[in-house]
Amino acid sequence: MAPKRRVIIDTDPGNDDVIALLLALAAPASELEVVLISCVEGNVDVRACLRNVVAIFHILDREIKWRKSQGLPAGFEGVTAYKPLVAIGANEPLHGGTDNADYFHGADGVGGSTQTHPEFNPHESWESLFEKPPPDDDLTKKAKDIDQDVEKETKEELFSNFTPSLEPAHKEILKVLRDSEADTISIISIGPLTNLALAAAEDPETFLRCKEVISMGGAIDALGNVTPNAEFNVWADPHAAARVYALTSQVPSSTMPLMSENFAGKDLPAYPPKLSKQLKLILMSLDITEQHVVTRSQFERKSQDLAKRGSPLAQWMTAFLTPMLNKMAALHHGHDDDPSLALHDPLCVWYLLTEDDPKWTTSEKSPEDIRVETQGQWTRGMTVADKRPRRRRNSDGEAPHDRGNWLGRISGNRVEKMKGSPGEDIAGAWILDRILGYVS
């Protein structure tokens, strides 16, 4: 049976990214196929992001073997029924320098657990999977062939549940979309939008073959989490976000970042004046994600017994979530008896798995004209919405008092901002049950 949904996940793991990926890979094969996981610089540097993705597959291999030894359903059909492609992407934003969120996630992205719990780290040979082999010379070819045969057997045993790519992530995104029927691939973006912007710039029509982009990012009415006005994923590469958001407009040029800037070696071209369709962009902003959390008590109830029984997955999740929950408790100066972590990124996967639930609702004004600030000294990465209670013009807003055509009939972006979910009170338990509850 073909999966109900096929997806590309673009990510910068990151603790909550890891939970999102585990949730996607835990889905039954009839529900979801993760075709490609592409890594982007964000929470931590892109090589650390890639290592964390490889670590997921390493842990899941051990977990599946443990479950079988216990007579439990293996689950994780995302790796047993499918073999996702993994690609490494952009190592810097389109413009300006890199500024990671390792101050929160830890230098490794997973709460420092690669140092405190090295037993969960993937085999050291993982990096060579993503490197093109050097050309052979005749004198050493035979010896190299022998070494490569041994290395190949080791890699096949250790990394048999995913396919490493030697191509840049944005090119793999385009290839998946090109090789798939139009409107069948959803893209979940849970990091900065750099890879998506690069793919769209290279071939916008192929990029628009995707069914939708579900993006964790932005803060419309909520407070920012990296500056007073900005959410991290948009702030980390506002130019990339602006370019992707612009594809939701009938006139992308009306909201594109200024082309006079020097994009640090990435002088991306303007989009053609006329594109075949508009991008469907579903925004999971802080307005909704901050309300959905997993608490320490929820996690411990689900994981403690499994960890004691020897579940590698429960033990690994404990290793990286415990320091993060401790950090949240410290931020509240010990006044929070049950600290929690927001489920920012997992919410995107939860939506895709349950999108038919009528409790998923968008804002009353959706689609909204939401744009990204790229120039402001204090407002970089701010997601700006037109909140004026006025009807749109039938023209393109020539009037000088409405600069930027905010009330134009065809200019401006059209973003679907998610507002309601199946329940803030059930999110944490539902997600943990899917990951640790052996859903068949």
Side-chain angles (χ1 to χ4, degrees):
M1 178 186 295
K4 185 176 180 181
R5 304 166 184 86
R6 302 178 73 228
V7 64
I8 293 169
I9 302 179
D10 192 68
T11 179
D12 62 337
N15 296 278
D16 55 330
D17 300 72
V18 171
I19 297 172
L21 290 167
L22 289 169
L23 178 60
L25 295 171
S30 59
E31 288 187 11
L32 186 68
E33 177 188 359
V34 180
V35 182
L36 167 65
I37 298 172
S38 52
C39 298
V40 64
E41 184 97 7
N43 285 323
V44 288
D45 73 82
V46 75
R47 296 300 296 190
C49 292
L50 182 63
R51 180 199 59 229
N52 293 341
V53 171
V54 174
I56 290 172
F57 288 100
H58 168 65
I59 294 296
L60 290 185
D61 183 63
R62 292 170 57 182
E63 176 73 7
I64 290 167
K65 290 175 181 175
W66 177 80
R67 291 186 183 187
K68 289 180 177 178
S69 75
Q70 301 295 304
L72 297 167
F76 289 100
E77 293 180 359
V79 297
T80 57
Y82 306 112
K83 192 174 180 179
L85 186 66
V86 175
I88 186 169
N91 62 359
E92 61 181 357
L94 296 183
H95 177 64
T98 300
D99 196 350
N100 304 130
D102 51 6
Y103 57 86
F104 180 76
H105 291 272
D108 58 0
V110 282
S113 61
T114 57
Q115 297 295 320
T116 59
H117 295 78
E119 65 272 20
F120 297 122
N121 294 343
H123 189 275
E124 60 187 11
S125 64
W126 74 265
E127 290 195 77
S128 62
L129 296 169
F130 298 89
E131 297 172 356
K132 293 182 180 180
D136 289 320
D137 62 68
D138 293 337
L139 294 176
T140 59
K141 187 176 187 304
K142 185 174 182 180
K144 285 184 178 179
D145 286 345
I146 294 172
D147 290 342
Q148 286 173 358
D149 287 343
V150 174
E151 186 180 10
K152 182 180 178 182
E153 290 179 9
T154 302
K155 290 178 180 178
E156 286 178 350
E157 180 181 354
L158 293 171
F159 308 111
S160 60
N161 49 11
F162 72 94
T163 302
S165 168
L166 299 179
E167 295 297 319
H170 73 279
K171 291 186 178 295
E172 291 289 11
I173 291 171
L174 290 173
K175 186 176 187 304
V176 169
L177 294 172
R178 197 175 289 120
D179 293 345
S180 303
E181 186 177 344
D183 299 318
T184 61
I185 298 289
S186 295
I187 301 176
I188 294 179
S189 171
I190 50 179
L193 286 153
T194 319
N195 287 337
L196 273 60
L198 291 170
E202 182 168 314
D203 190 342
E205 288 295 349
T206 294
F207 185 79
L208 289 172
R209 289 173 62 86
C210 72
K211 178 181 177 182
E212 62 202 348
V213 170
I214 304 163
S215 177
M216 191 281 121
I220 312 305
D221 295 312
L223 299 176
N225 63 359
V226 66
T227 72
N229 297 302
E231 177 277 330
F232 176 79
N233 286 339
V234 178
W235 176 87
D237 196 344
H239 297 85
R243 289 185 64 96
V244 173
Y245 284 34
L247 289 171
T248 68
S249 175
Q250 291 187 52
V251 186
S253 60
S254 66
T255 65
M256 284 277 280
L258 297 177
M259 293 301 294
S260 59
E261 297 182 49
N262 174 20
F263 282 86
K266 296 186 181 67
D267 253 336
L268 302 187
Y271 297 129
K274 185 70 176 175
L275 291 168
S276 61
K277 59 180 284 193
Q278 294 167 254
L279 175 68
K280 180 180 180 181
L281 176 61
I282 298 170
L283 193 65
M284 292 288 185
S285 66
L286 293 181
D287 302 64
I288 183 172
T289 64
E290 286 278 11
Q291 314 309 316
H292 296 76
V293 303
V294 59
T295 65
R296 189 197 296 276
S297 60
Q298 282 179 320
F299 177 66
E300 289 181 348
R301 279 197 301 270
K302 192 66 185 178
S303 64
Q304 278 186 337
D305 181 60
L306 289 169
K308 289 177 182 177
R309 289 165 58 189
S311 161
L313 179 57
Q315 292 172 350
W316 183 52
M317 291 181 70
T318 300
F320 72 77
L321 284 179
T322 297
M324 302 312 301
L325 289 164
N326 290 343
K327 181 174 290 187
M328 295 305 298
L331 288 172
H332 290 90
H333 306 289
H335 298 305
D336 189 347
D337 295 332
D338 195 13
S340 61
L341 284 173
L343 295 166
H344 302 297
D345 298 334
L347 212 66
C348 295
V349 180
W350 187 31
Y351 166 74
L352 193 70
L353 292 171
T354 60
E355 61 183 328
D356 295 333
D357 191 317
K359 292 180 181 177
W360 285 110
T361 56
T362 55
S363 64
E364 294 81 358
K365 293 180 67 176
S366 284
E368 296 186 47
D369 190 352
I370 298 174
R371 310 185 189 185
V372 179
E373 176 58 66
T374 62
Q375 302 297 310
Q377 180 179 359
W378 310 117
T379 56
R380 163 183 159 169
M382 182 179 180
T383 37
V384 183
D386 185 359
K387 301 174 184 178
R388 292 173 290 180
R390 299 165 63 188
R391 295 178 60 186
R392 291 192 177 278
R393 301 179 190 279
N394 291 325
S395 68
D396 283 330
E398 311 91 339
H401 56 270
D402 188 35
R403 297 186 185 278
N405 295 343
W406 283 89
L407 298 179
R409 179 174 55 86
I410 61 174
S411 61
N413 296 332
R414 302 292 187 269
V415 177
E416 301 279 351
K417 181 169 75 73
M418 197 60 64
K419 179 182 178 182
S421 78
E424 300 170 10
D425 54 334
I426 67 170
W430 194 97
I431 289 168
L432 289 176
D433 282 344
R434 273 296 181 107
I435 294 172
L436 293 170
Y438 313 126
V439 176
S440 59

